[in-house]
Every structure is written in C-alpha cells, then in structure tokens.
Amino acid sequence: YVEQLRTVIPSPLPRAETSGDDHQMLRIVQWNLNCLCGVDGQTAQTATEILKIVERSTADILLFQEAPAGPAQSWWWEPWRSTFPAREMRRLETSLKRMGYTTQLRTECFSQTLLCTNLHVREFQHVQLDIQHAYRFRMEEERAAVRAVLHFGAKDDTSDDNVISVYATHFHHQNFTLGAESKQGVRQAEAKVLLQHVAEASVGPVLVATDFNQARRRDYDAEEWAVIAKGVFSVGEPEDDGVAELFEEAGFRCAYDMAKKRNWPVSKAPPFTHWTGTTVDYPYIRSSAKRRVGVDGVYIVNSGVSDHLPIVTDITFTPITQL
C-alpha cells in the first residue's frame, strides 16, 4: 500500500479556485481516518499530518469518517480499542476550531462521522439509517447520518438561494447479501433511508461524500474487476450492492464522472482510495431547481495516515435561469 502511494498517487494538491462572476465554488475534503489508528489499525497517529493537509486544502467543508469522539470503550473492537489516541482526536478538534472550522457535528452511532465547516449552519438534523430492515439484528453496530444545511452566500442573505444540504454518513462495511440478493442488503437499506430523507427534507443542492464500502464495476476493466470480484466474494460481500444505482435514480451524479480536472491520468475513478487497491470513497452531488452543481476538479492526496486516502472535490454553483 505504501509503495502504491509513492508510485501512483501524486503529492501536489492544486489550490482552490475562487468564485467567479457567474458561479460560486466550495471545496470539500472527505477522508476515512480509521480512528487515527493508521493503515494497520494498530499504529496510533497524531493530528499533525491531517491538519497540514486541511490547511493546504483551504477547504470549506470537512467530512471525516471513523472519527469517534472517544474515549475508547470496552465494547470497541480490537485493535482500535487499544490503539485509539483520544488525546490526538481532541487536538484535531481544537486545532480545527482555531483554523475556523467552528461547527463540528458528529453522527449519533459507534462509527462516527465528523462534519466540520467554516460556513454558517442554517439547521441540522440527525438521521438513523438502520432502524428498520431485515438485517438489523445481525449487525454488531448501526450507522447514522447528520444533515447540515450550510449557507455560502452573503451574511445578510436570508433566502435559500445560496445553501447546500450536506449529509455526513458512512455506509456499513457488512452487507449480508450475495448472489441474487446482492442489491437487497444493509447498504441499500441504509441508502433508501437516506435518500428518502433527501426527498423530504433537503434544501438546495445536495452533497453526499463518504466511504460507500463498495467499488463500482464501471471504474475497472474486465481483468481488474475479476480480481476485485474474487476478493469481495472471499469476505462475503457482493459485487454490486445497488447503492450507486439508487443514487443515480435519485438524480445524483458522482464527481468522478463529471470533473473537469483530476490529478490522475484517466477520466474515471481514482486508481484507488483504500489499502486494498480499490476505490470505495465517492463524492455524489445533486443540483437543485435554482442551482446547477458542477465539478471543477477532484483530487486524491498522498497520505499514509489511514487505510483510506483523502479526496478533495471542488464544486461550483451556477444559477439556473428561470424561463
């Protein structure tokens, strides 16, 4: 994994572009931190490199999966229970506040996602994803989301023209289905709950950028996919959990499919975002009736802090002219 980082993933991160006369821009960083326990889950990390990447990114929104408040509890899984550096998590939170990320919201579940932003929060709401589905009682832990409506316009603007609904979440690593039932498992059930909430409660454009725990077949050639399919089958996971399809049916598009700029050579998903050599972390966006969302650029960042890589996405908002 470390050798892949050195040879495949570029180090430079382009500067964020500024908003123009005909559009506005936001920069998002998403990153599964693996509880600050390193690539192997048993090597405690400091907050230093994370803070350096955040500072260099000048992002508006940070979405950190597996960023529990702690301290570690007796029922946590090993080796994370013994490794989790609670003091460094406090240092990360405190340092981010000093950098201007004064809003910090966590999902209400064990595998917590942390949303940090320097934008004004109009409202936020917690959403439980595993309340009602057939696999709930087989799960050792449940997942959740928090939706924040963020305002990026002028301070005196009280309209809904310059807002975005951001969902911080993390889809489950266990799907509990294979074969003909692959698309009827935990992750699809979680996605349905989240997308129903989007349909009923979202304001403005919508962003869901997280660890989906599933690679997309379209991002690989046949030979690559044969290796991936064998690997996921060996751990009881499906080749397709149906979540990407659900998001597209709900009007979302993946940033990888629409970015104008990338820091990898081909026009598809990154070479990998996870230590397994697969891409499982995705930013999905949906336009609103008033704002068309585009993707100016999406970038992966070289880091050995976690078993996932940080992803930086620059999204633009262009007013839709009403005829």
Side-chain angles (χ1 to χ4, degrees), residues 247-278:
F247 268 77
E248 290 167 3
E249 290 174 351
F252 284 82
R253 292 188 66 192
C254 180
Y256 301 150
D257 301 332
M258 52 192 300
K260 295 179 182 179
K261 293 176 284 191
R262 302 169 178 82
N263 64 345
W264 61 90
V266 292
S267 57
K268 55 180 182 179
F272 62 90
T273 65
H274 186 243
W275 74 269
T276 55
T278 57

Side-chain angles (χ1 to χ4, degrees), residues 1 12 239 283 294 307:
Y1 176 70
E239 291 185 37
D307 57 348

